[in-house]
Amino acid sequence: MTIKQELLDILACPKCKGPVRPATDNKGLVCERCCLLYEIRDDIPIMLIDEAKHLDRQSIAKQ
Amino acid sequence: MNQQNGREHVVKEYSLLAPEYDTRWSFYIEATTRETIARVSLAPGARLLDVGCGTGALLEKLAQNFPQTTLVGVDPVPEMLAVARGRLSASTELGGGWAEELPFADDSFDTVVSCNAFHYIRQPVEALQEMTRVLRPGGEIIITDWCDDYLACRICDWYLRWFSPAHFKVYRERECLRLLQEAGHPEAHIQRYKINWLWGLMTAKATK
C-alpha cells in the first residue's frame, strides 16, 4: 500500500520541514534537500531523523 | 541526562510495553481519553493531529465521535504504532515522529491534541512551538496530562524521575501555563480535575 495523497500533501521532512516525495520503489519517503530517506514500515512512514538513511546527492536523486 | 538518552529510554520502555499497554493502563486510558474528548469539538471535514498517539486509544474514540473528520497520529515508538494500526480503520493515518520535530507542513491541522504524553517530552517549549507551527491560524491545541498540583501525581512524578529513565517531568498548572506562554500562547488556559479520589489531571487549551 502506498501513502495516501492526502497524507503526502501535509507530510514534511521533520528536519527542514520541506516537502517529501515517495521513493521510486514506494518503500520510503525522500527529502531531497536533506538527502534523507525515511522508511515506510508496515504502511507507516517512520519520520524520525535519527532512523532516516543518509544518502549522497546522486543516490537520493535515484531513489 | 541529554535529550538523546532520554529519547532512547522512551523508545526502549514503550517498545516492550506496547503489547500489554492497553490492558495494564485500561482505567487510566479510559478516563484520560474520555476527559480529552469532552473538551474537543471538531467540525465535519476538520483535520486533527494526535501527538504521542501511542496505541491509538484516543484516535479510536475520536473516530467514533467525529466520523467525518481526518485523523492523524504520530508517535516515536513503532511498536506502539503497530498496535494502533491494528485497532484503527485505514482512514486514520499514522506516522513515526517526535513532538519536537513534527513531520508536517505549516498550518496543516485544525486541531492538535496530546493525551498522556506531555510528561515524556524532553523539550516541552519546542514541542509546543511545533504543535503551533502545524496548526492553522485559529486552530486549537488541547493537551491533557497529569497535574503536579495533586499530591498523588507529585509523589509518582518524584518516584518515576528516580526509577524510570523514560519519564521526564510532570508540571504544575502554573508551570504548564508558563511553558505555553514561552511558546507564544499568553491566552492559554488550563482546567484541572480529578478522575478518581486520588489522581488528578489537567487539560490545557490554546488557540493559534
Side-chain angles (χ1 to χ4, degrees):
Chain A
M1 194 174 88
T2 53
I3 301 293
K4 278 185 255 169
Q5 190 59 46
E6 192 183 357
L7 182 61
L8 264 182
D9 289 343
I10 56 170
L11 272 175
C13 171
K15 190 173 181 185
C16 73
K17 316 302 179 192
V20 289
R21 62 160 175 85
T24 48
D25 62 1
N26 275 328
K27 289 181 180 169
L29 294 173
V30 173
C31 173
E32 296 201 358
R33 197 185 299 174
C34 300
C35 292
L36 290 173
L37 174 66
Y38 296 96
E39 184 191 357
I40 297 174
R41 207 181 295 164
D42 300 325
D43 299 333
I44 299 172
I46 306 299
M47 308 301 286
L48 303 170
I49 300 166
D50 291 337
E51 293 199 22
K53 201 170 172 182
H54 199 279
L55 299 172
D56 60 47
R57 291 239 165 254
Q58 273 192 327
S59 310
I60 208 85
K62 289 179 193 162
Q63 283 291 327
Chain B
M1 183 185 295
N2 67 36
Q3 180 197 322
Q4 193 54 45
N5 282 341
R7 285 183 167 189
E8 283 164 4
H9 290 302
V10 172
V11 173
K12 188 177 171 191
E13 183 171 322
Y14 277 85
S15 61
L16 295 171
L17 191 59
E20 56 175 311
Y21 179 81
D22 287 337
T23 43
R24 187 193 277 201
W25 298 106
S26 57
F27 164 76
Y28 175 65
I29 293 168
E30 201 287 319
T32 52
T33 53
R34 182 188 65 229
E35 294 292 341
T36 304
I37 294 265
R39 290 161 174 81
V40 172
S41 64
L42 286 178
R47 192 188 281 145
L48 174 144
L49 174 66
D50 181 1
V51 176
C53 67
T55 58
L58 180 66
L59 290 167
E60 185 179 42
K61 279 192 184 178
L62 284 165
Q64 289 161 3
N65 281 265
F66 305 104
Q68 291 179 309
T69 54
T70 300
L71 304 175
V72 182
V74 286
D75 196 275
V77 185
E79 289 81 357
M80 296 289 274
L81 289 168
V83 177
R85 187 69 288 159
R87 84 186 314 160
L88 298 167
S89 77
S91 63
T92 299
E93 304 287 355
L94 295 170
W98 291 102
E100 298 95 332
E101 292 149 6
L102 290 174
F104 299 101
D106 297 0
D107 306 341
S108 292
F109 296 94
D110 301 287
T111 303
V112 176
V113 297
S114 181
C115 184
N116 296 329
F118 205 69
H119 56 278
Y120 292 105
I121 294 175
R122 267 57 192 168
Q123 297 172 286
V125 174
E126 284 79 353
L128 290 168
Q129 286 169 339
E130 274 290 88
M131 292 180 199
T132 306
R133 180 185 64 77
V134 302
L135 197 63
R136 68 158 170 82
E140 196 170 44
I141 295 175
I142 301 165
I143 298 170
T144 298
D145 203 14
W146 308 358
C147 178
D148 228 23
D149 289 303
Y150 296 102
L151 181 64
C153 293
R154 215 174 309 149
I155 293 168
C156 198
D157 180 34
W158 178 84
Y159 176 85
L160 290 171
R161 280 206 234 173
W162 277 96
F163 297 108
S164 171
H167 182 85
F168 186 63
K169 178 174 167 45
V170 177
Y171 301 95
R172 288 183 175 234
E173 181 181 341
R174 66 166 185 272
E175 291 176 311
C176 190
L177 272 177
R178 201 175 59 233
L179 294 174
L180 281 155
Q181 284 163 2
E182 274 185 57
H185 292 289
E187 86 300 344
H189 60 95
I190 290 177
Q191 263 188 319
R192 66 180 147 101
Y193 48 90
K194 282 191 162 182
I195 52 171
N196 61 13
W197 64 274
L198 187 67
W199 201 255
L201 300 178
M202 59 182 164
T203 298
K205 278 193 174 195
T207 305
K208 182 172 176 182

